[in-house]
Amino acid sequence: MPPGRAPQSSAGDASVPSGSAARADPAAAGTPDVAGLLAVAVADIGGAERPGQVAMAAAVQRAIDTGEHLAVQAGTGTGKSLAYLVPAVRHAVTEHATVVVSTATIALQRQLIDRDLPRLAAALRPALGRAPLFAILKGRRNYLCLHRAASGAPEDPAEMLFDASTISATGRQVERLHEWAARTTTGDRDELVPGVSEQAWRQVSVTARECIGAQRCPFGTRCFAELARDEAGRADIVVTNHALLAIDAVEDFDVLPEHDVVIIDEAHDLVDRVTAVGSAELSGPAVEAAARRCGKMIEDAVTGRLRDAGTAAARLLDEIPYGRIDVLAEPLAVSLAAVRDAARGCATDLRASAKNNEEDPERIAAGRSALASLDEIHDAADRILGAFGADIASRPDVVWMDRPPPDRESSRPPTLRVAPLEVGGLLAERLFSRHTVTLTSATLSLGGSFEPMARQWGLPRTGAPDAASTERAAGDAAAAGDVAAAAGRGAAADAAGGRDAPGGRDAPADRAVPGDRAVPGGRAARAAIQDTAEPHSLAWCGLDVGSPFDHPRSGILYVARHLPPPGRDGLAEAYLTELQELIVAAGGRTLGLFSSMRAARQAADELRGRIEFPLFCQGDDPTSQLITKFAADEASCLFGTLSLWQGVDVPGPSLQLVVIDRIPFPRPDDPLASARQRAVAARGGNGFMSVAAAQAALLLAQGTGRLLRTMSDRGVVAILDPRLVTARYGGFLRGSLPPFWTTTDPAVVRGALRRLAAETVTPGQA
């Protein structure tokens, strides 16, 4: 067991205490302050003090003390996880409380649990009087269910959609899952390497609705999900994911242990994850699956009505084109009502019959599985029917038809989807009004302001002038001016192309003090908020602690102004030629980030015959394997789409050129984005800037952040879309990016790439 890991107990052992009562009393009065604890932790791991990290830790502690929410932008290399973990641990131990840390990705969860928290617990134990306890908690579907693994999953009609080879492969994966079940100590799906398909995992897992309960289950005392909950109940720090955090906020019962402070890392993904949790779907095969799962537990005539309603709905859905649905046609309304009512009838009969099966775990499990499917069908149909209010712009939900493009083979059936138009109200009421929240990421400030993200989270406008955007614009202009002046002497291109950059710079002292770069309103507005903030109010402030990287001297932002605006018919030849010339100049070493899979494949197919470097394209192999190959071969290139914009961490000479084909605006026919733009416009706002431009800015910031991962990294971010410098919204988008030195001269950037490639020594060339 790692140092500080909360010990596991039997899920049925009532004698094991939980929550804060299980924790030993530290000598709170003698506990060092956050600055002292941070210094101890940094010294223990052999690191060096970073002003941005110190500033962030102080700001997090102040937020905990005052109840004022905090948004912190901390660039790569700041050490932000330590900056929030130290004050979180201090608060949990001294106040006998629990702090929840939520992340968007499995990789960060594993980093926190396997590396950061064990090292921090060991380092702070002498100062705190005991080792802080920590645990990880996920939704029930993430843990193997021993009962389902032993008894088997209900028949899944969805299997009929797959061919024989797919079913055979799934069978082999299920066999491996059963072998793993005999030796795993956690049942955590993410610990199974390599992973398995969703179809295979369904055979050994259950949802919360399907679970029969630890008291009834013959495996209740060994249940992995219950053991994880018990472990979390004894922990000071509980690491979870945004989805479970959202479920905890939505439900009227506690999913997470009682807590007063929440730290949200990777906060740029929060809205999307909460939206996904609040979404529902309905398809013909799903209705058929629900009917089949009822089996012989209720009368055939009752399930027959559901089958008939599902068949009729499937025929209707097959005729509806992709896109948002603003008007509910009468035939569809009638069909959905029939599905809803039939599902309710089945569920009523099933609940009545379940009273005779209270002592039979197998029948209870089958009944719970069927009820879960029926409830999902009923709730989705009912929600869709209720989503069409008279005032289109004020409807709380968005409904659309999702189906694969006609030119793509897919087993995915036509599916009606419904999602919340906004989640800010929910977050304000159920998260920010109940807990003190710190949100952090390397990309939170859009166009130089935290306001766009804060509005999505449901935090109020402050009414104060946004000082940060002015300060950043002035600072970036000064930095660009310095580099541009040097460019006349050839230094600007050399900055990314040849000469050693300084060891990097952290945020200068005047910028690292909390409040100096605060949003809103700088020092004065922040002080005013501080004086009036009440615990768990919606008062908030933003802080950009900068980055240790010297962006103007370590990287170039190149915008291909001479290219035509991107079209809708794929990449123009001019784009392909530009991309080829950049890759050749860089000697490979290129990550290509494309706005669509179609564009990525087109570029890969065209350029494989034009360049001599290995070129990998997303979809050729599992993404993790492609990233590993790309990192191992310095001369290679990797092309892909959305997951690569945020999921690639390749430091060193293997990645010296990031190419972005176009500004990643949402598609004009994107159902949710277009509905959100319409709603903003109806309220008198600028829907394009509030939704489309904000989304594009966030993705651009994430994509450009792939370039510099360590202090010694150098290179170029090339954006082929000229609108970044020619369109009126270009300034907002550029204001969301790291302050690289910027040029539109293709000769300058190719020269810089050639010099950088010449200085890079690859194995066998030394």
Side-chain angles (χ1 to χ4, degrees):
M1 180 181 300
R5 187 73 185 256
Q8 285 192 346
S9 68
S10 167
D13 188 354
S15 66
V16 178
S18 64
S20 59
R23 307 182 188 116
D25 254 349
T31 302
D33 62 13
V34 164
L37 291 175
L38 181 61
V40 169
V42 171
D44 186 80
I45 63 176
E49 180 180 291
R50 307 173 190 178
Q53 186 182 62
V54 173
M56 179 174 173
V60 174
Q61 182 60 53
R62 178 196 163 280
I64 292 173
D65 290 342
T66 65
E68 179 187 51
H69 306 298
L70 173 68
V72 186
Q73 179 162 283
T76 302
T78 301
K80 63 180 168 65
S81 59
L82 203 59
Y84 63 68
L85 286 176
V86 168
V89 164
R90 186 182 189 279
H91 172 73
V93 171
T94 59
E95 300 298 324
H96 314 299
T98 296
V99 175
V100 169
V101 177
S102 179
T103 78
T105 62
I106 295 169
L108 183 53
Q109 291 173 25
R110 295 260 58 94
Q111 174 189 316
L112 293 173
I113 287 293
D114 295 340
R115 190 190 74 180
D116 294 348
L117 280 166
R119 294 164 71 178
L120 184 62
L124 298 187
R125 180 171 187 166
L128 295 176
R130 68 172 176 86
L133 303 179
F134 55 89
I136 186 168
L137 185 61
K138 305 175 184 180
R140 190 171 292 272
R141 278 277 281 115
N142 291 278
Y143 298 98
L144 181 140
C145 173
L146 293 169
H147 182 255
R148 174 157 286 189
S151 60
E155 181 183 3
D156 189 353
E159 290 184 359
M160 295 185 298
L161 299 173
F162 297 91
D163 58 30
S165 62
T166 301
I167 296 174
S168 177
T170 299
R172 290 192 295 271
Q173 291 179 345
V174 172
E175 287 181 11
R176 187 160 67 86
L177 282 168
H178 282 281
E179 294 170 359
W180 177 68
R183 63 177 186 272
T184 179
T185 59
T186 67
D188 187 340
R189 179 181 182 177
D190 295 330
E191 295 183 3
L192 179 65
V193 179
V196 297
S197 67
E198 182 64 25
Q199 187 185 10
W201 184 252
R202 283 201 304 267
Q203 309 304 305
V204 296
S205 65
V206 296
T207 64
R209 283 182 169 183
E210 293 173 321
C211 176
I212 66 174
Q215 300 304 318
R216 293 174 172 174
C217 180
F219 298 89
T221 58
R222 297 161 51 197
C223 174
F224 293 123
E226 293 297 323
L227 290 172
R229 285 177 58 84
D230 286 352
E231 185 180 1
R234 291 185 295 277
D236 300 296
I237 305 294
V238 175
V239 177
T240 189
N241 53 56
H242 294 350
L244 196 62
L245 182 71
I247 293 170
D248 185 66
V250 170
E251 298 292 352
D252 293 325
F253 54 87
D254 290 335
V255 176
L256 296 169
E258 183 179 349
H259 57 284
D260 61 341
V261 173
V262 177
I263 311 287
I264 301 177
D265 203 342
E266 301 177 312
H268 60 273
D269 263 344
L270 178 63
V271 169
D272 285 346
R273 301 303 173 103
V274 175
T275 300
V277 167
S279 301
E281 63 181 48
L282 183 69
S283 68
V287 177
E288 173 66 18
R292 281 178 174 266
R293 284 177 180 169
C294 292
K296 299 298 182 182
M297 291 182 283
I298 58 177
E299 295 292 331
D300 288 343
V302 180
T303 55
R305 284 194 290 272
L306 181 59
R307 284 195 178 92
D308 292 344
T311 300
R315 284 197 297 267
L316 272 175
L317 297 184
D318 197 47
E319 299 173 358
I320 300 175
Y322 170 86
R324 194 180 69 227
I325 300 175
D326 289 334
V327 178
L328 182 61
E330 183 66 20
L332 181 57
V334 171
S335 181
L336 289 173
V339 169
R340 178 197 60 192
D341 295 344
R344 181 170 53 203
C346 288
T348 299
D349 282 18
L350 196 57
R351 286 187 173 93
S353 68
K355 295 177 181 179
N356 302 320
N357 303 320
E358 293 180 353
E359 303 302 322
D360 185 346
E362 302 300 325
R363 292 185 66 84
I364 292 173
R368 294 279 291 187
S369 177
L371 274 174
S373 296
L374 291 169
D375 287 345
E376 288 174 3
I377 294 299
H378 171 274
D379 294 350
D382 191 56
R383 182 175 171 188
I384 293 170
L385 284 167
F388 296 88
D391 185 357
I392 292 180
S394 64
R395 292 173 180 172
D397 281 334
V398 181
V399 178
W400 72 96
M401 168 54 68
D402 184 21
R403 61 191 311 138
D407 59 345
R408 183 184 305 171
E409 291 186 10
S410 174
S411 59
R412 181 162 53 94
T415 302
L416 274 179
R417 301 191 186 276
V418 57
L421 179 69
E422 298 171 339
V423 297
L426 168 70
L427 292 173
E429 178 186 353
R430 307 298 290 266
L431 179 65
F432 293 108
S433 293
R434 299 181 180 184
H435 311 283
T436 300
V437 183
T438 291
L439 307 105
T440 186
S441 171
T443 49
L444 290 182
S445 176
L446 303 181
S449 171
F450 288 88
E451 291 277 359
M453 295 299 296
R455 287 198 297 272
Q456 295 181 32
W457 298 327
L459 293 174
R461 292 179 181 271
T462 61
D466 187 349
S469 59
T470 303
E471 290 174 19
R472 173 166 183 167
D476 290 358
D482 291 343
V483 179
R489 303 187 297 273
D494 290 341
R499 300 175 190 169
D500 289 334
R505 67 181 182 194
D506 222 310
D510 62 340
R511 204 176 89 187
V513 177
D516 281 4
R517 287 283 302 276
V519 178
R523 289 190 180 96
R526 191 176 188 281
I529 292 176
Q530 180 175 350
D531 290 341
T532 60
E534 294 292 333
H536 305 154
S537 74
L538 295 184
W540 67 279
C541 74
L543 175 68
D544 184 347
V545 299
S547 166
F549 300 146
D550 188 348
H551 287 95
R553 297 193 63 184
S554 299
I556 290 177
L557 172 64
Y558 164 61
V559 183
R561 182 172 189 151
H562 62 283
L563 292 179
R568 297 185 178 181
D569 299 324
L571 295 173
E573 176 58 34
Y575 277 64
L576 296 170
T577 300
E578 184 79 18
L579 182 55
Q580 175 187 347
E581 292 173 349
L582 289 168
I583 292 173
V584 170
R589 304 184 180 91
T590 300
L591 174 65
L593 302 177
F594 294 84
S595 56
S596 69
M597 201 64 237
R598 175 187 173 191
R601 291 193 179 281
Q602 179 194 354
D605 292 343
E606 292 280 353
L607 292 185
R608 277 175 174 146
R610 302 190 192 185
I611 61 175
E612 59 184 12
F613 311 107
L615 199 164
F616 311 121
C617 187
Q618 196 172 8
D620 293 344
D621 283 309
T623 300
S624 59
Q625 293 182 20
L626 292 175
I627 294 173
T628 300
K629 291 179 182 179
F630 173 60
D633 186 348
E634 288 184 11
S636 66
C637 304
L638 174 60
F639 289 0
T641 185
L642 189 59
S643 62
L644 297 186
W645 287 71
Q646 303 182 53
V648 175
D649 185 5
V650 180
S654 291
L655 175 49
Q656 294 179 340
L657 172 62
V658 175
V659 179
I660 296 173
D661 70 326
R662 65 189 298 160
I663 298 171
F665 292 121
R667 286 175 38 168
D669 61 351
D670 180 284
L672 202 48
S674 60
R676 287 172 172 169
Q677 286 185 230
R678 180 179 61 189
V680 172
R683 296 194 294 265
N686 187 324
F688 171 78
M689 292 301 296
S690 296
V691 179
Q695 178 176 320
L698 185 59
L699 279 173
L700 281 175
Q702 287 286 313
T704 57
R706 301 309 96 201
L707 181 65
L708 302 183
R709 309 304 295 174
T710 68
M711 302 293 284
S712 59
D713 288 345
R714 291 174 295 164
V716 170
V717 173
I719 299 179
L720 306 186
D721 191 336
R723 294 175 296 175
L724 192 65
V725 292
T726 61
R728 294 178 60 186
Y729 51 76
F732 171 79
L733 299 178
R734 296 195 305 275
S736 308
L737 306 182
F740 296 116
W741 182 76
T742 303
T743 183
T744 59
D745 189 332
V748 169
V749 77
R750 287 198 294 268
L753 286 169
R754 281 192 290 266
R755 284 189 293 274
L756 188 55
E759 289 193 356
T760 302
V761 179
T762 57
Q765 293 179 330

